[in-house]
Amino acid sequence: MTPPRSLVGLFIAPLNRASIDYVVTGGLAAILYGHPRLTLDVDLVIRLDASAAAMFTALWPSDAFYCPPVEVVREECERPANGHFNVIHSETAMRADVYLSADDPLHTWALAEHVTRTIEGERVRFAPIEYVIVYKLRYLQMGGSDRHLRDVIRMLETSRSLIREETLRFWIDRLDLAAFWDRAQGAAEGA
């Protein structure tokens, strides 16, 4: 059997088999809601208790993946916010950027409101479009590249009808992103 050589096969299928609660966000979600573009990583928000760290690290055999030691994963799981680590496929250098949901209300909301699509025969749980837009705006706010703005513009062009305006406005107001949302909408209208 040939091992999988896609982000879905490498990183999503093992999470599904282990019944780990996750959502895909970042570039892959922007592609789902927007336009195709190249990405060699998958951004994942996962709900993982520190007691499950050993089970999680066992999903990634050391002869094929880099995964942080179980102690590091456990420590990241115990953070009240912003826990993060990477899992990297050695042969392809494809990567999963793993963000722990912890006590973050936006992450918790995205996990509860996920959107499921079948890709390569695998059920993939994506963050809702509102979450993806909000996170792209947050990265833009933090001085991120214009790629985040382009992703939002493309999502507005392609999937505006999917956006629950009241929900999006709630998170934009709560996270003080109105100026960046106005910028994205202005750019989308000018495109």
Side-chain angles (χ1 to χ4, degrees), residues 126-164:
F126 286 91
I129 190 170
E130 300 88 359
Y131 175 96
V132 180
I133 289 171
V134 165
Y135 253 84
K136 292 288 181 180
L137 295 174
R138 281 180 110 177
Y139 286 125
L140 193 60
Q141 180 185 45
M142 292 186 289
S145 76
D146 281 347
R147 176 184 42 128
H148 301 295
L149 179 61
R150 287 190 304 273
D151 282 345
V152 172
I153 292 166
R154 290 178 179 139
M155 286 187 279
L156 291 174
E157 291 170 352
T158 305
S159 299
R160 188 181 289 268
S161 64
L162 299 177
I163 297 171
R164 295 169 290 183

Side-chain angles (χ1 to χ4, degrees), residues 33-159:
Y33 298 122
H35 295 274
R37 68 171 175 81
L38 178 64
T39 187
L40 296 175
D41 72 329
V42 58
D43 296 315
L44 299 166
V45 173
I46 66 171
R47 186 183 334 263
L48 190 68
D49 187 80
S51 64
M55 179 271 299
F56 180 86
T57 59
L59 297 174
W60 321 105
S62 62
D63 64 335
F65 292 90
Y66 163 78
C67 182
V70 67
E71 298 81 18
V72 172
V73 172
R74 188 175 296 119
E75 183 178 316
E76 291 300 306
C77 289
E78 290 172 345
R79 291 181 188 274
N82 304 317
H84 171 255
F85 55 86
N86 302 104
V87 177
I88 303 168
H89 183 244
S90 303
E91 184 181 328
T92 63
M94 289 184 191
R95 178 183 80 231
D97 294 327
V98 179
Y99 302 90
L100 287 302
S101 64
D103 297 332
D104 185 303
L106 182 59
H107 291 332
T108 301
W109 174 80
L111 287 161
E113 296 290 321
H114 69 271
V115 174
T116 303
R117 298 287 188 269
T118 301
I119 300 174
E120 300 171 12
E122 195 71 43
R123 293 181 57 80
V124 180
R125 296 173 50 171
F126 286 91
I129 190 170
E130 300 88 359
Y131 175 96
V132 180
I133 289 171
V134 165
Y135 253 84
K136 292 288 181 180
L137 295 174
R138 281 180 110 177
Y139 286 125
L140 193 60
Q141 180 185 45
M142 292 186 289
S145 76
D146 281 347
R147 176 184 42 128
H148 301 295
L149 179 61
R150 287 190 304 273
D151 282 345
V152 172
I153 292 166
R154 290 178 179 139
M155 286 187 279
L156 291 174
E157 291 170 352
T158 305
S159 299

Side-chain angles (χ1 to χ4, degrees), residues 177-189:
L177 297 168
F180 298 94
W181 175 236
D182 291 344
R183 180 177 164 196
Q185 289 189 102
E189 290 167 9

